[in-house]
């Protein structure tokens, strides 16, 4: 793999990891626990802080909360060699493939490592050979699994989790680009009785977007429309809101709104694929693309696809 392609793959995988982390606004991830006859409570291990990425010279910081774990249990934190590609990510999360050990950060009794129930670690990261004692040496960019395992006094595993450390490239070929993506998906307008209804809140969102962008034409927004909604608003002989569609068309042809490839209606692409119905997704995308082009005057960008994880009810 060329250096440029390798960096592109790293950036994509790092972005995926970032999106997963950003989605976790709820409780911190908790490792799978195993009950033992020696404990009355279920042991739990929670990741409450993690350094998202480091440069060539940086520091890995972790904070791990230990609950329901006896003081004579042992906690071990190990950093493994970087993944060879995104194809190894799932196997590293499930601990099926972690690779060679680069550094065991800590391997000591819980009573010594986390007297207050929270284990905090700070590990220097370097790409050279002259780092301080206990440094983690990472020679180049990559994504390294960080494995945390807690075992009882007999050495039986109680609970474990895997997180990842992203080591950024020393040199970047191009600056990081940031785009604003807005999901304007909506439930189907065609009702069971044959009527066509676009909910008031959907029309209000589209109207507010058009108003804002008309006042700020220097802002470009990448947008996923539900093509069926646009079709209902445009409406042929009976448009629901032709003026709103005209405003959106003006913004799109001016390059302020940048529609991406999205289906005619929301579908669960993953489940359809598993069911062998990938052709349905292809048909929905083709129809959606044609509708966006005819309604807004610009073909959606087919290099980018936004697919919801769940269909709209």
């Amino acid at each position: 793999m060329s250096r440029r392609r390798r960096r592109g793959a790293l950036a994509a995988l790092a972005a995926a990891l970032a999106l997963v982390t950003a989605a976790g606004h709820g409780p911190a991830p908790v490792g799978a626990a195993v009950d033992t006859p020696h404990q009355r409570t279920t042991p739990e291990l929670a990741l409450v802080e993690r350094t998202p990425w480091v440069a060539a010279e940086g520091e890995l910081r972790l904070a791990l909360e230990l609950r329901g774990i006896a003081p004579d249990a042992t906690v071990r934190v190990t950093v493994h060699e970087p993944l060879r590609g995104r194809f190894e990510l799932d196997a590293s999360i499930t601990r099926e493939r972690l690779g060679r050990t680069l550094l065991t950060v800590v391997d000591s009794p819980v009573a010594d490592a986390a007297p207050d129930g929270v284990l905090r670690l700070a590990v220097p990261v370097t790409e050279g050979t002259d780092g301080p004692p206990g440094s983690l040496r990472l020679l180049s960019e990559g994504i390294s699994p960080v494995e945390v395992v807690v075992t009882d006094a007999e050495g039986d595993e109680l609970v474990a989790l895997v997180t990842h450390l992203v080591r950024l490239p020393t040199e970047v070929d191009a600056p990081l680009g940031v785009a604003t993506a807005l999901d304007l998906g909506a439930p189907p307008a065609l009702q069971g009785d044959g009527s066509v209804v676009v909910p008031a809140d959907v029309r209000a969102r589209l109207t507010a977007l058009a108003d804002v962008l008309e006042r700020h034409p220097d802002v470009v927004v990448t947008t996923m429309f539900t093509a069926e909604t646009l079709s209902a608003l445009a409406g042929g002989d009976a448009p629901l809101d032709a003026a709103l569609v005209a405003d959106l068309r003006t913004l799109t042809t001016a390059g302020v709104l940048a529609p991406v490839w999205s289906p005619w209606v929301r579908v669960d692409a993953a489940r359809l694929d598993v069911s062998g119905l990938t052709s349905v997704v292809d048909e929905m995308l083709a129809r959606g693309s044609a509708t966006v082009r005819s309604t807004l005057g610009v073909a959606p960008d087919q290099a980018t696809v936004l697919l919801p994880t769940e269909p709209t009810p």
Side-chain angles (χ1 to χ4, degrees):
M1 179 182 291
S2 70
R3 184 177 181 87
R4 183 179 297 273
R5 291 182 62 194
R6 184 183 177 196
R7 287 176 178 168
L10 173 65
L13 184 52
L17 286 171
L19 286 173
V20 170
T21 302
H25 294 298
V30 178
V34 180
D35 289 318
T36 73
H38 306 291
Q39 293 179 313
R40 294 182 179 179
T41 58
T42 301
E44 295 182 347
L45 169 64
L47 176 64
V48 296
E49 180 184 345
R50 173 182 61 83
T51 305
W53 55 71
V54 295
E57 303 293 329
E59 184 179 67
L60 164 63
R61 295 184 303 278
L62 286 178
L64 303 159
E65 185 175 2
L66 307 168
R67 299 189 294 267
I69 298 175
D72 60 354
T74 297
V75 59
R76 183 179 69 252
V77 180
T78 305
V79 182
H80 297 268
E81 64 184 351
L83 305 177
R84 292 175 296 173
R86 71 183 69 187
F87 62 91
E88 290 187 334
L89 179 60
D90 287 346
S92 70
I93 293 173
T94 59
R95 301 170 64 204
E96 295 176 18
R97 195 278 175 191
L98 288 171
R100 179 174 57 89
T101 296
L102 294 181
L103 179 68
T104 297
V105 178
V106 65
D107 188 0
S108 62
V110 169
D112 295 340
D116 63 348
V118 178
L119 171 61
R120 293 180 175 84
L121 302 172
V123 182
V125 176
T126 181
E127 66 175 353
T129 58
D130 56 351
S135 295
L136 171 62
R137 189 183 182 201
L138 296 175
L139 300 179
S140 62
E141 67 268 21
I143 298 176
S144 298
V146 180
E147 180 188 30
V148 184
V149 179
V150 180
T151 56
D152 63 17
E154 287 74 37
D156 296 325
E157 183 175 307
L158 297 175
V159 64
L161 63 79
V162 173
T163 183
H164 294 80
L165 172 66
V166 177
R167 155 71 157 84
L168 299 177
T170 304
E171 298 179 359
V172 179
D173 295 334
L176 180 64
V178 178
T180 301
L182 187 61
D183 181 358
L184 293 175
L190 180 61
Q191 306 299 300
D193 60 2
S195 62
V196 178
V197 177
V198 175
D201 64 321
V202 173
R203 296 169 71 171
R205 287 169 55 207
L206 293 172
T207 301
L209 173 66
D211 291 344
V212 170
L213 293 181
E214 284 174 358
R215 295 195 301 269
H216 302 279
D218 55 332
V219 176
V220 178
V221 178
T222 300
T223 311
M224 185 194 79
F225 290 102
T226 297
E228 195 251 10
T229 302
L230 292 176
S231 178
L233 291 172
D237 295 334
L240 295 181
D241 200 330
L244 174 56
V245 173
D247 289 342
L248 294 175
R249 184 184 181 96
T250 298
L251 292 168
T252 303
T253 54
V256 177
L257 273 178
V260 298
W261 214 12
S262 54
W264 167 251
V265 293
R266 285 180 174 244
V267 294
D268 191 328
R271 292 182 183 178
L272 288 173
D273 182 57
V274 170
S275 303
L277 298 174
T278 306
S279 61
V280 175
V281 180
D282 294 338
E283 292 172 5
M284 289 291 100
L285 287 171
R287 186 176 181 184
S289 178
T291 301
V292 170
R293 179 197 293 268
S294 62
T295 306
L296 300 182
V298 174
D301 175 14
Q302 297 188 11
T304 305
V305 181
L306 298 179
L307 290 173
T309 56
E310 295 291 340
T312 300

